Amino acid sequence: MRESESGGRRPYHHGDLHRALVDAARALLEAEGPGALSMRAVARGAGVSPAAPYHHFKDKDELMGAVAHEGWLMLDAALARARDEAPAGRGRITALGVAYVCFAIDHPALYRVMYDHARDQESLPDQLHEPEQGAFATVRRTLVEVGGDPDARIELELATAAAWCAAHGLAEMAGFKQFDHLKDALGGEKPFLRAVFDQMGLFPRMSGR
Amino acid sequence: MRESESGGRRPYHHGDLHRALVDAARALLEAEGPGALSMRAVARGAGVSPAAPYHHFKDKDELMGAVAHEGWLMLDAALARARDEAPAGRGRITALGVAYVCFAIDHPALYRVMYDHARDQESLPDQLHEPEQGAFATVRRTLVEVGGDPDARIELELATAAAWCAAHGLAEMAGFKQFDHLKDALGGEKPFLRAVFDQMGLFPRMSGR
DNA sequence: TTCCTAATTTAAGCACTGTTCAGATTTGCC
DNA sequence: GGCAAATCTGAACAGTGCTTAAATTAGGAA
């Protein structure tokens, strides 16, 4: 299924059409937006017939799931990086929130595919709960640092949920024209995002804080 | 264009196909979900040929806009009602938030059409800014009651934006499986919603509070 | 009434979509 | 070499958004 020696000719038409399809989909998404993401266009992009993808993905939804999966991986990484780069202290959760929204702004089409898929599944993907790199773990850890009680599980879950919802809500609307004058008044996009997050107060409000 | 006397036969095939189409679209949306909402299916539902709708709506997008418009009207009304019914005091903004999310939960397909359209326009519709019944006005008024300074325009806008984003984020994710155990632990959906909103603190945090 | 114009509806068609299926091709393995 | 499984193609089906030309209808003017 894959060349075992160096210099091997490619084993079949593509060797790894699965990957080629996901890559083609991502490229199309970035270049033309979510509307252009058709099964046939992806096949075309990978240089293959319209029926070929169906040997690697049960349906369009499954291909979208694969694309979304890579998006969530990127988001996981972006949040982890933001956490590492931000100085410890209260500003750290805000920094996480800003990083989240910036990811959505930088990859609008991908972000849309990610949540379209999540809404269809009525669930965020499991990978977000990975204990090491998962975004939920990153948020939870940061919330604990900032005043959360690590033993108050429910409260911590609640604070994580609240922070995630806040970030998603802002991510979807940050580009809306309604907020242009606020961005101007506050001196740009990032100050605006920080101001909104400060308004919302992502900090945990726990019984025994 | 419309019968002027009582007992008049209908003036043409439909008399008001515009309305009939929007109604058919809403019915289809409720019955089969957003995926089933095709131009042709709507035409079919209104008992008319596939080309007929194009004399009343430039495009599918415009039809969706009309459906979305009615959704926003309903949301305006739901928020105004929630405000009237909730006792004055701090709980009122939370009540607004809960009403917002409940609307989204009660009309998931419609809510999706509303925001799909908004994302395409990169803007929420203008009607939300109606000074009397508009939802923004309702939220802003409630924020002032609860401690906002009516003269601090920017801060008030910021608090409104934060509350709206919070509500939208929660609305889109409240149905996700991730939160099931939180709903159980807190005793149901509404207590969960209230708890999340309390976590987020929708109350205005203003300089001169 | 009759005639004309403008609005409305239809039928047919184009290019596209997701998906399936039968047949061809290639692969790794015995 | 031969075989079964995996992979790819070509053709097809039903459905989509939308356009165009022709038919129908309505309301007003003569």
Side-chain angles (χ1 to χ4, degrees), chain A residues 112 119 122 124 168 172 177-178 199-200 205, chain B residues 119-120 122 124 168 172 177-178 199-200 205:
Chain A
R112 205 149 154 173
R119 277 185 291 252
E122 298 186 355
L124 293 168
H168 170 64
E172 287 219 316
K177 297 182 176 69
Q178 272 78 22
Q199 252 297 324
M200 297 204 258
R205 282 145 223 251
Chain B
R119 278 185 289 252
D120 285 342
E122 297 186 356
L124 293 168
H168 171 63
E172 286 219 318
K177 297 182 175 67
Q178 272 78 21
Q199 252 298 323
M200 298 205 255
R205 284 147 220 249

mmCIF file with all atom_site columns, all heavy atoms in Angstrom, chain A residues 112 119 122 124 168 172 177-178 199-200 205, chain B residues 119-120 122 124 168 172 177-178 199-200 205:
data_model
loop_
_atom_site.group_PDB
_atom_site.id
_atom_site.type_symbol
_atom_site.label_atom_id
_atom_site.label_alt_id
_atom_site.label_comp_id
_atom_site.label_asym_id
_atom_site.label_entity_id
_atom_site.label_seq_id
_atom_site.pdbx_PDB_ins_code
_atom_site.Cartn_x
_atom_site.Cartn_y
_atom_site.Cartn_z
_atom_site.occupancy
_atom_site.B_iso_or_equiv
_atom_site.pdbx_formal_charge
_atom_site.auth_seq_id
_atom_site.auth_comp_id
_atom_site.auth_asym_id
_atom_site.auth_atom_id
_atom_site.pdbx_PDB_model_num
ATOM 1   N N   . ARG A 1 112 ? -16.006 27.320 10.092 1.00 0.00 ? 112 ARG A N   1
ATOM 2   C CA  . ARG A 1 112 ? -17.407 27.063 9.765  1.00 0.00 ? 112 ARG A CA  1
ATOM 3   C C   . ARG A 1 112 ? -17.654 25.575 9.529  1.00 0.00 ? 112 ARG A C   1
ATOM 4   O O   . ARG A 1 112 ? -18.638 25.032 10.006 1.00 0.00 ? 112 ARG A O   1
ATOM 5   C CB  . ARG A 1 112 ? -17.770 27.863 8.509  1.00 0.00 ? 112 ARG A CB  1
ATOM 6   C CG  . ARG A 1 112 ? -19.230 28.170 8.425  1.00 0.00 ? 112 ARG A CG  1
ATOM 7   C CD  . ARG A 1 112 ? -19.473 29.468 7.714  1.00 0.00 ? 112 ARG A CD  1
ATOM 8   N NE  . ARG A 1 112 ? -20.796 29.489 7.099  1.00 0.00 ? 112 ARG A NE  1
ATOM 9   C CZ  . ARG A 1 112 ? -21.315 30.544 6.523  1.00 0.00 ? 112 ARG A CZ  1
ATOM 10  N NH1 . ARG A 1 112 ? -20.640 31.670 6.474  1.00 0.00 ? 112 ARG A NH1 1
ATOM 11  N NH2 . ARG A 1 112 ? -22.520 30.506 5.991  1.00 0.00 ? 112 ARG A NH2 1
ATOM 12  N N   . ARG A 1 119 ? -22.438 20.733 14.910 1.00 0.00 ? 119 ARG A N   1
ATOM 13  C CA  . ARG A 1 119 ? -23.884 20.915 15.094 1.00 0.00 ? 119 ARG A CA  1
ATOM 14  C C   . ARG A 1 119 ? -24.652 19.707 14.580 1.00 0.00 ? 119 ARG A C   1
ATOM 15  O O   . ARG A 1 119 ? -25.632 19.277 15.192 1.00 0.00 ? 119 ARG A O   1
ATOM 16  C CB  . ARG A 1 119 ? -24.359 22.187 14.390 1.00 0.00 ? 119 ARG A CB  1
ATOM 17  C CG  . ARG A 1 119 ? -24.152 23.440 15.232 1.00 0.00 ? 119 ARG A CG  1
ATOM 18  C CD  . ARG A 1 119 ? -24.751 24.660 14.530 1.00 0.00 ? 119 ARG A CD  1
ATOM 19  N NE  . ARG A 1 119 ? -23.994 25.018 13.337 1.00 0.00 ? 119 ARG A NE  1
ATOM 20  C CZ  . ARG A 1 119 ? -23.212 26.086 13.228 1.00 0.00 ? 119 ARG A CZ  1
ATOM 21  N NH1 . ARG A 1 119 ? -23.082 26.880 14.269 1.00 0.00 ? 119 ARG A NH1 1
ATOM 22  N NH2 . ARG A 1 119 ? -22.578 26.341 12.114 1.00 0.00 ? 119 ARG A NH2 1
ATOM 23  N N   . GLU A 1 122 ? -24.336 17.164 17.024 1.00 0.00 ? 122 GLU A N   1
ATOM 24  C CA  . GLU A 1 122 ? -24.762 17.650 18.344 1.00 0.00 ? 122 GLU A CA  1
ATOM 25  C C   . GLU A 1 122 ? -23.693 17.392 19.392 1.00 0.00 ? 122 GLU A C   1
ATOM 26  O O   . GLU A 1 122 ? -23.987 17.049 20.545 1.00 0.00 ? 122 GLU A O   1
ATOM 27  C CB  . GLU A 1 122 ? -26.094 17.018 18.767 1.00 0.00 ? 122 GLU A CB  1
ATOM 28  C CG  . GLU A 1 122 ? -27.224 17.387 17.810 1.00 0.00 ? 122 GLU A CG  1
ATOM 29  C CD  . GLU A 1 122 ? -28.582 16.884 18.287 1.00 0.00 ? 122 GLU A CD  1
ATOM 30  O OE1 . GLU A 1 122 ? -28.605 16.173 19.303 1.00 0.00 ? 122 GLU A OE1 1
ATOM 31  O OE2 . GLU A 1 122 ? -29.591 17.209 17.643 1.00 0.00 ? 122 GLU A OE2 1
ATOM 32  N N   . LEU A 1 124 ? -19.245 18.330 20.304 1.00 0.00 ? 124 LEU A N   1
ATOM 33  C CA  . LEU A 1 124 ? -17.883 18.670 19.932 1.00 0.00 ? 124 LEU A CA  1
ATOM 34  C C   . LEU A 1 124 ? -17.084 17.379 19.861 1.00 0.00 ? 124 LEU A C   1
ATOM 35  O O   . LEU A 1 124 ? -17.443 16.397 20.516 1.00 0.00 ? 124 LEU A O   1
ATOM 36  C CB  . LEU A 1 124 ? -17.274 19.625 20.966 1.00 0.00 ? 124 LEU A CB  1
ATOM 37  C CG  . LEU A 1 124 ? -17.927 21.013 21.000 1.00 0.00 ? 124 LEU A CG  1
ATOM 38  C CD1 . LEU A 1 124 ? -17.481 21.791 22.231 1.00 0.00 ? 124 LEU A CD1 1
ATOM 39  C CD2 . LEU A 1 124 ? -17.585 21.786 19.742 1.00 0.00 ? 124 LEU A CD2 1
ATOM 40  N N   . HIS A 1 168 ? -16.849 31.029 21.536 1.00 0.00 ? 168 HIS A N   1
ATOM 41  C CA  . HIS A 1 168 ? -17.501 30.671 20.273 1.00 0.00 ? 168 HIS A CA  1
ATOM 42  C C   . HIS A 1 168 ? -18.468 31.770 19.824 1.00 0.00 ? 168 HIS A C   1
ATOM 43  O O   . HIS A 1 168 ? -18.492 32.134 18.648 1.00 0.00 ? 168 HIS A O   1
ATOM 44  C CB  . HIS A 1 168 ? -18.242 29.346 20.405 1.00 0.00 ? 168 HIS A CB  1
ATOM 45  C CG  . HIS A 1 168 ? -19.121 29.035 19.234 1.00 0.00 ? 168 HIS A CG  1
ATOM 46  N ND1 . HIS A 1 168 ? -18.612 28.836 17.965 1.00 0.00 ? 168 HIS A ND1 1
ATOM 47  C CD2 . HIS A 1 168 ? -20.469 28.925 19.119 1.00 0.00 ? 168 HIS A CD2 1
ATOM 48  C CE1 . HIS A 1 168 ? -19.621 28.607 17.128 1.00 0.00 ? 168 HIS A CE1 1
ATOM 49  N NE2 . HIS A 1 168 ? -20.751 28.656 17.804 1.00 0.00 ? 168 HIS A NE2 1
ATOM 50  N N   . GLU A 1 172 ? -17.981 33.876 16.262 1.00 0.00 ? 172 GLU A N   1
ATOM 51  C CA  . GLU A 1 172 ? -18.899 33.907 15.124 1.00 0.00 ? 172 GLU A CA  1
ATOM 52  C C   . GLU A 1 172 ? -19.352 35.317 14.784 1.00 0.00 ? 172 GLU A C   1
ATOM 53  O O   . GLU A 1 172 ? -19.798 35.582 13.680 1.00 0.00 ? 172 GLU A O   1
ATOM 54  C CB  . GLU A 1 172 ? -20.128 33.033 15.434 1.00 0.00 ? 172 GLU A CB  1
ATOM 55  C CG  . GLU A 1 172 ? -19.816 31.559 15.381 1.00 0.00 ? 172 GLU A CG  1
ATOM 56  C CD  . GLU A 1 172 ? -20.948 30.758 14.741 1.00 0.00 ? 172 GLU A CD  1
ATOM 57  O OE1 . GLU A 1 172 ? -22.108 31.040 15.090 1.00 0.00 ? 172 GLU A OE1 1
ATOM 58  O OE2 . GLU A 1 172 ? -20.661 29.877 13.915 1.00 0.00 ? 172 GLU A OE2 1
ATOM 59  N N   . LYS A 1 177 ? -20.611 43.554 11.104 1.00 0.00 ? 177 LYS A N   1
ATOM 60  C CA  . LYS A 1 177 ? -20.465 44.992 10.933 1.00 0.00 ? 177 LYS A CA  1
ATOM 61  C C   . LYS A 1 177 ? -20.927 45.775 12.166 1.00 0.00 ? 177 LYS A C   1
ATOM 62  O O   . LYS A 1 177 ? -20.464 46.876 12.421 1.00 0.00 ? 177 LYS A O   1
ATOM 63  C CB  . LYS A 1 177 ? -21.267 45.438 9.708  1.00 0.00 ? 177 LYS A CB  1
ATOM 64  C CG  . LYS A 1 177 ? -20.786 44.830 8.407  1.00 0.00 ? 177 LYS A CG  1
ATOM 65  C CD  . LYS A 1 177 ? -21.600 45.354 7.216  1.00 0.00 ? 177 LYS A CD  1
ATOM 66  C CE  . LYS A 1 177 ? -21.037 44.812 5.901  1.00 0.00 ? 177 LYS A CE  1
ATOM 67  N NZ  . LYS A 1 177 ? -21.250 43.353 5.749  1.00 0.00 ? 177 LYS A NZ  1
ATOM 68  N N   . GLN A 1 178 ? -21.869 45.196 12.907 1.00 0.00 ? 178 GLN A N   1
ATOM 69  C CA  . GLN A 1 178 ? -22.391 45.864 14.098 1.00 0.00 ? 178 GLN A CA  1
ATOM 70  C C   . GLN A 1 178 ? -21.282 46.322 15.051 1.00 0.00 ? 178 GLN A C   1
ATOM 71  O O   . GLN A 1 178 ? -21.439 47.294 15.778 1.00 0.00 ? 178 GLN A O   1
ATOM 72  C CB  . GLN A 1 178 ? -23.314 44.924 14.890 1.00 0.00 ? 178 GLN A CB  1
ATOM 73  C CG  . GLN A 1 178 ? -24.754 44.944 14.467 1.00 0.00 ? 178 GLN A CG  1
ATOM 74  C CD  . GLN A 1 178 ? -24.945 44.139 13.190 1.00 0.00 ? 178 GLN A CD  1
ATOM 75  O OE1 . GLN A 1 178 ? -24.121 43.284 12.893 1.00 0.00 ? 178 GLN A OE1 1
ATOM 76  N NE2 . GLN A 1 178 ? -25.995 44.439 12.444 1.00 0.00 ? 178 GLN A NE2 1
ATOM 77  N N   . GLN A 1 199 ? -15.552 42.046 29.863 1.00 0.00 ? 199 GLN A N   1
ATOM 78  C CA  . GLN A 1 199 ? -16.962 42.232 30.201 1.00 0.00 ? 199 GLN A CA  1
ATOM 79  C C   . GLN A 1 199 ? -17.579 40.932 30.675 1.00 0.00 ? 199 GLN A C   1
ATOM 80  O O   . GLN A 1 199 ? -18.312 40.874 31.660 1.00 0.00 ? 199 GLN A O   1
ATOM 81  C CB  . GLN A 1 199 ? -17.724 42.715 28.957 1.00 0.00 ? 199 GLN A CB  1
ATOM 82  C CG  . GLN A 1 199 ? -18.140 44.153 28.999 1.00 0.00 ? 199 GLN A CG  1
ATOM 83  C CD  . GLN A 1 199 ? -19.106 44.438 30.117 1.00 0.00 ? 199 GLN A CD  1
ATOM 84  O OE1 . GLN A 1 199 ? -19.950 43.625 30.458 1.00 0.00 ? 199 GLN A OE1 1
ATOM 85  N NE2 . GLN A 1 199 ? -18.979 45.607 30.713 1.00 0.00 ? 199 GLN A NE2 1
ATOM 86  N N   . MET A 1 200 ? -17.297 39.872 29.948 1.00 0.00 ? 200 MET A N   1
ATOM 87  C CA  . MET A 1 200 ? -17.937 38.604 30.265 1.00 0.00 ? 200 MET A CA  1
ATOM 88  C C   . MET A 1 200 ? -17.338 37.971 31.500 1.00 0.00 ? 200 MET A C   1
ATOM 89  O O   . MET A 1 200 ? -17.985 37.181 32.173 1.00 0.00 ? 200 MET A O   1
ATOM 90  C CB  . MET A 1 200 ? -17.806 37.657 29.082 1.00 0.00 ? 200 MET A CB  1
ATOM 91  C CG  . MET A 1 200 ? -18.521 38.181 27.864 1.00 0.00 ? 200 MET A CG  1
ATOM 92  S SD  . MET A 1 200 ? -19.007 36.912 26.704 1.00 0.00 ? 200 MET A SD  1
ATOM 93  C CE  . MET A 1 200 ? -17.749 37.098 25.483 1.00 0.00 ? 200 MET A CE  1
ATOM 94  N N   . ARG A 1 205 ? -16.055 31.746 38.950 1.00 0.00 ? 205 ARG A N   1
ATOM 95  C CA  . ARG A 1 205 ? -16.714 32.267 40.156 1.00 0.00 ? 205 ARG A CA  1
ATOM 96  C C   . ARG A 1 205 ? -17.158 31.078 40.953 1.00 0.00 ? 205 ARG A C   1
ATOM 97  O O   . ARG A 1 205 ? -18.228 30.541 40.736 1.00 0.00 ? 205 ARG A O   1
ATOM 98  C CB  . ARG A 1 205 ? -17.983 33.013 39.781 1.00 0.00 ? 205 ARG A CB  1
ATOM 99  C CG  . ARG A 1 205 ? -17.754 34.380 39.245 1.00 0.00 ? 205 ARG A CG  1
ATOM 100 C CD  . ARG A 1 205 ? -18.804 34.639 38.203 1.00 0.00 ? 205 ARG A CD  1
ATOM 101 N NE  . ARG A 1 205 ? -18.175 35.287 37.064 1.00 0.00 ? 205 ARG A NE  1
ATOM 102 C CZ  . ARG A 1 205 ? -18.378 36.547 36.769 1.00 0.00 ? 205 ARG A CZ  1
ATOM 103 N NH1 . ARG A 1 205 ? -19.203 37.258 37.484 1.00 0.00 ? 205 ARG A NH1 1
ATOM 104 N NH2 . ARG A 1 205 ? -17.766 37.090 35.758 1.00 0.00 ? 205 ARG A NH2 1
ATOM 105 N N   . ARG B 1 119 ? -24.280 35.184 8.918  1.00 0.00 ? 119 ARG B N   1
ATOM 106 C CA  . ARG B 1 119 ? -22.853 34.974 8.646  1.00 0.00 ? 119 ARG B CA  1
ATOM 107 C C   . ARG B 1 119 ? -22.522 35.324 7.205  1.00 0.00 ? 119 ARG B C   1
ATOM 108 O O   . ARG B 1 119 ? -21.469 35.897 6.923  1.00 0.00 ? 119 ARG B O   1
ATOM 109 C CB  . ARG B 1 119 ? -22.466 33.526 8.943  1.00 0.00 ? 119 ARG B CB  1
ATOM 110 C CG  . ARG B 1 119 ? -22.192 33.275 10.415 1.00 0.00 ? 119 ARG B CG  1
ATOM 111 C CD  . ARG B 1 119 ? -21.703 31.851 10.627 1.00 0.00 ? 119 ARG B CD  1
ATOM 112 N NE  . ARG B 1 119 ? -22.767 30.887 10.419 1.00 0.00 ? 119 ARG B NE  1
ATOM 113 C CZ  . ARG B 1 119 ? -23.357 30.200 11.392 1.00 0.00 ? 119 ARG B CZ  1
ATOM 114 N NH1 . ARG B 1 119 ? -22.984 30.373 12.641 1.00 0.00 ? 119 ARG B NH1 1
ATOM 115 N NH2 . ARG B 1 119 ? -24.312 29.347 11.126 1.00 0.00 ? 119 ARG B NH2 1
ATOM 116 N N   . ASP B 1 120 ? -23.435 34.973 6.285  1.00 0.00 ? 120 ASP B N   1
ATOM 117 C CA  . ASP B 1 120 ? -23.187 35.327 4.890  1.00 0.00 ? 120 ASP B CA  1
ATOM 118 C C   . ASP B 1 120 ? -23.152 36.838 4.698  1.00 0.00 ? 120 ASP B C   1
ATOM 119 O O   . ASP B 1 120 ? -22.369 37.354 3.913  1.00 0.00 ? 120 ASP B O   1
ATOM 120 C CB  . ASP B 1 120 ? -24.264 34.714 3.996  1.00 0.00 ? 120 ASP B CB  1
ATOM 121 C CG  . ASP B 1 120 ? -24.063 33.215 3.820  1.00 0.00 ? 120 ASP B CG  1
ATOM 122 O OD1 . ASP B 1 120 ? -22.943 32.736 4.081  1.00 0.00 ? 120 ASP B OD1 1
ATOM 123 O OD2 . ASP B 1 120 ? -25.016 32.519 3.431  1.00 0.00 ? 120 ASP B OD2 1
ATOM 124 N N   . GLU B 1 122 ? -22.350 38.860 6.992  1.00 0.00 ? 122 GLU B N   1
ATOM 125 C CA  . GLU B 1 122 ? -21.423 39.396 7.993  1.00 0.00 ? 122 GLU B CA  1
ATOM 126 C C   . GLU B 1 122 ? -22.079 40.492 8.820  1.00 0.00 ? 122 GLU B C   1
ATOM 127 O O   . GLU B 1 122 ? -21.464 41.513 9.152  1.00 0.00 ? 122 GLU B O   1
ATOM 128 C CB  . GLU B 1 122 ? -20.149 39.917 7.332  1.00 0.00 ? 122 GLU B CB  1
ATOM 129 C CG  . GLU B 1 122 ? -19.371 38.809 6.628  1.00 0.00 ? 122 GLU B CG  1
ATOM 130 C CD  . GLU B 1 122 ? -18.033 39.294 6.096  1.00 0.00 ? 122 GLU B CD  1
ATOM 131 O OE1 . GLU B 1 122 ? -17.763 40.500 6.214  1.00 0.00 ? 122 GLU B OE1 1
ATOM 132 O OE2 . GLU B 1 122 ? -17.280 38.465 5.550  1.00 0.00 ? 122 GLU B OE2 1
ATOM 133 N N   . LEU B 1 124 ? -25.722 41.177 11.599 1.00 0.00 ? 124 LEU B N   1
ATOM 134 C CA  . LEU B 1 124 ? -27.060 40.889 12.104 1.00 0.00 ? 124 LEU B CA  1
ATOM 135 C C   . LEU B 1 124 ? -28.022 41.852 11.425 1.00 0.00 ? 124 LEU B C   1
ATOM 136 O O   . LEU B 1 124 ? -27.621 42.933 11.000 1.00 0.00 ? 124 LEU B O   1
ATOM 137 C CB  . LEU B 1 124 ? -27.103 41.052 13.624 1.00 0.00 ? 124 LEU B CB  1
ATOM 138 C CG  . LEU B 1 124 ? -26.282 40.025 14.404 1.00 0.00 ? 124 LEU B CG  1
ATOM 139 C CD1 . LEU B 1 124 ? -26.141 40.444 15.864 1.00 0.00 ? 124 LEU B CD1 1
ATOM 140 C CD2 . LEU B 1 124 ? -26.920 38.655 14.315 1.00 0.00 ? 124 LEU B CD2 1
ATOM 141 N N   . HIS B 1 168 ? -25.528 33.724 22.255 1.00 0.00 ? 168 HIS B N   1
ATOM 142 C CA  . HIS B 1 168 ? -25.427 32.977 20.998 1.00 0.00 ? 168 HIS B CA  1
ATOM 143 C C   . HIS B 1 168 ? -24.523 31.752 21.161 1.00 0.00 ? 168 HIS B C   1
ATOM 144 O O   . HIS B 1 168 ? -24.856 30.662 20.707 1.00 0.00 ? 168 HIS B O   1
ATOM 145 C CB  . HIS B 1 168 ? -24.905 33.867 19.883 1.00 0.00 ? 168 HIS B CB  1
ATOM 146 C CG  . HIS B 1 168 ? -24.573 33.107 18.634 1.00 0.00 ? 168 HIS B CG  1
ATOM 147 N ND1 . HIS B 1 168 ? -25.518 32.429 17.907 1.00 0.00 ? 168 HIS B ND1 1
ATOM 148 C CD2 . HIS B 1 168 ? -23.387 32.891 18.006 1.00 0.00 ? 168 HIS B CD2 1
ATOM 149 C CE1 . HIS B 1 168 ? -24.938 31.834 16.879 1.00 0.00 ? 168 HIS B CE1 1
ATOM 150 N NE2 . HIS B 1 168 ? -23.645 32.087 16.911 1.00 0.00 ? 168 HIS B NE2 1
ATOM 151 N N   . GLU B 1 172 ? -25.891 27.843 20.657 1.00 0.00 ? 172 GLU B N   1
ATOM 152 C CA  . GLU B 1 172 ? -25.433 26.878 19.667 1.00 0.00 ? 172 GLU B CA  1
ATOM 153 C C   . GLU B 1 172 ? -24.903 25.607 20.299 1.00 0.00 ? 172 GLU B C   1
ATOM 154 O O   . GLU B 1 172 ? -24.834 24.574 19.653 1.00 0.00 ? 172 GLU B O   1
ATOM 155 C CB  . GLU B 1 172 ? -24.333 27.512 18.801 1.00 0.00 ? 172 GLU B CB  1
ATOM 156 C CG  . GLU B 1 172 ? -24.883 28.521 17.823 1.00 0.00 ? 172 GLU B CG  1
ATOM 157 C CD  . GLU B 1 172 ? -24.185 28.455 16.471 1.00 0.00 ? 172 GLU B CD  1
ATOM 158 O OE1 . GLU B 1 172 ? -22.952 28.318 16.461 1.00 0.00 ? 172 GLU B OE1 1
ATOM 159 O OE2 . GLU B 1 172 ? -24.886 28.529 15.448 1.00 0.00 ? 172 GLU B OE2 1
ATOM 160 N N   . LYS B 1 177 ? -23.775 17.150 23.490 1.00 0.00 ? 177 LYS B N   1
ATOM 161 C CA  . LYS B 1 177 ? -23.753 16.048 24.456 1.00 0.00 ? 177 LYS B CA  1
ATOM 162 C C   . LYS B 1 177 ? -22.768 16.320 25.591 1.00 0.00 ? 177 LYS B C   1
ATOM 163 O O   . LYS B 1 177 ? -22.939 15.818 26.693 1.00 0.00 ? 177 LYS B O   1
ATOM 164 C CB  . LYS B 1 177 ? -23.378 14.748 23.741 1.00 0.00 ? 177 LYS B CB  1
ATOM 165 C CG  . LYS B 1 177 ? -24.381 14.324 22.674 1.00 0.00 ? 177 LYS B CG  1
ATOM 166 C CD  . LYS B 1 177 ? -23.964 12.992 22.034 1.00 0.00 ? 177 LYS B CD  1
ATOM 167 C CE  . LYS B 1 177 ? -25.014 12.492 21.052 1.00 0.00 ? 177 LYS B CE  1
ATOM 168 N NZ  . LYS B 1 177 ? -25.142 13.359 19.849 1.00 0.00 ? 177 LYS B NZ  1
ATOM 169 N N   . GLN B 1 178 ? -21.736 17.089 25.298 1.00 0.00 ? 178 GLN B N   1
ATOM 170 C CA  . GLN B 1 178 ? -20.730 17.388 26.318 1.00 0.00 ? 178 GLN B CA  1
ATOM 171 C C   . GLN B 1 178 ? -21.341 17.924 27.606 1.00 0.00 ? 178 GLN B C   1
ATOM 172 O O   . GLN B 1 178 ? -20.796 17.748 28.693 1.00 0.00 ? 178 GLN B O   1
ATOM 173 C CB  . GLN B 1 178 ? -19.749 18.449 25.808 1.00 0.00 ? 178 GLN B CB  1
ATOM 174 C CG  . GLN B 1 178 ? -18.558 17.911 25.062 1.00 0.00 ? 178 GLN B CG  1
ATOM 175 C CD  . GLN B 1 178 ? -18.956 17.536 23.646 1.00 0.00 ? 178 GLN B CD  1
ATOM 176 O OE1 . GLN B 1 178 ? -19.966 18.019 23.149 1.00 0.00 ? 178 GLN B OE1 1
ATOM 177 N NE2 . GLN B 1 178 ? -18.197 16.666 23.018 1.00 0.00 ? 178 GLN B NE2 1
ATOM 178 N N   . GLN B 1 199 ? -22.081 32.301 35.603 1.00 0.00 ? 199 GLN B N   1
ATOM 179 C CA  . GLN B 1 199 ? -20.640 32.190 35.443 1.00 0.00 ? 199 GLN B CA  1
ATOM 180 C C   . GLN B 1 199 ? -20.100 33.322 34.579 1.00 0.00 ? 199 GLN B C   1
ATOM 181 O O   . GLN B 1 199 ? -19.100 33.948 34.887 1.00 0.00 ? 199 GLN B O   1
ATOM 182 C CB  . GLN B 1 199 ? -20.314 30.851 34.769 1.00 0.00 ? 199 GLN B CB  1
ATOM 183 C CG  . GLN B 1 199 ? -19.680 29.832 35.671 1.00 0.00 ? 199 GLN B CG  1
ATOM 184 C CD  . GLN B 1 199 ? -18.345 30.298 36.209 1.00 0.00 ? 199 GLN B CD  1
ATOM 185 O OE1 . GLN B 1 199 ? -17.576 30.953 35.527 1.00 0.00 ? 199 GLN B OE1 1
ATOM 186 N NE2 . GLN B 1 199 ? -18.090 29.962 37.450 1.00 0.00 ? 199 GLN B NE2 1
ATOM 187 N N   . MET B 1 200 ? -20.798 33.570 33.479 1.00 0.00 ? 200 MET B N   1
ATOM 188 C CA  . MET B 1 200 ? -20.294 34.564 32.542 1.00 0.00 ? 200 MET B CA  1
ATOM 189 C C   . MET B 1 200 ? -20.505 35.975 33.062 1.00 0.00 ? 200 MET B C   1
ATOM 190 O O   . MET B 1 200 ? -19.797 36.895 32.668 1.00 0.00 ? 200 MET B O   1
ATOM 191 C CB  . MET B 1 200 ? -20.993 34.394 31.196 1.00 0.00 ? 200 MET B CB  1
ATOM 192 C CG  . MET B 1 200 ? -20.722 33.049 30.580 1.00 0.00 ? 200 MET B CG  1
ATOM 193 S SD  . MET B 1 200 ? -20.876 33.036 28.807 1.00 0.00 ? 200 MET B SD  1
ATOM 194 C CE  . MET B 1 200 ? -22.423 32.214 28.591 1.00 0.00 ? 200 MET B CE  1
ATOM 195 N N   . ARG B 1 205 ? -20.029 45.713 33.624 1.00 0.00 ? 205 ARG B N   1
ATOM 196 C CA  . ARG B 1 205 ? -18.914 46.091 34.496 1.00 0.00 ? 205 ARG B CA  1
ATOM 197 C C   . ARG B 1 205 ? -18.403 47.410 33.987 1.00 0.00 ? 205 ARG B C   1
ATOM 198 O O   . ARG B 1 205 ? -17.577 47.449 33.098 1.00 0.00 ? 205 ARG B O   1
ATOM 199 C CB  . ARG B 1 205 ? -17.772 45.108 34.367 1.00 0.00 ? 205 ARG B CB  1
ATOM 200 C CG  . ARG B 1 205 ? -18.008 43.834 35.073 1.00 0.00 ? 205 ARG B CG  1
ATOM 201 C CD  . ARG B 1 205 ? -17.336 42.737 34.309 1.00 0.00 ? 205 ARG B CD  1
ATOM 202 N NE  . ARG B 1 205 ? -18.217 41.577 34.314 1.00 0.00 ? 205 ARG B NE  1
ATOM 203 C CZ  . ARG B 1 205 ? -17.944 40.477 34.968 1.00 0.00 ? 205 ARG B CZ  1
ATOM 204 N NH1 . ARG B 1 205 ? -16.825 40.348 35.607 1.00 0.00 ? 205 ARG B NH1 1
ATOM 205 N NH2 . ARG B 1 205 ? -18.789 39.494 34.965 1.00 0.00 ? 205 ARG B NH2 1
#
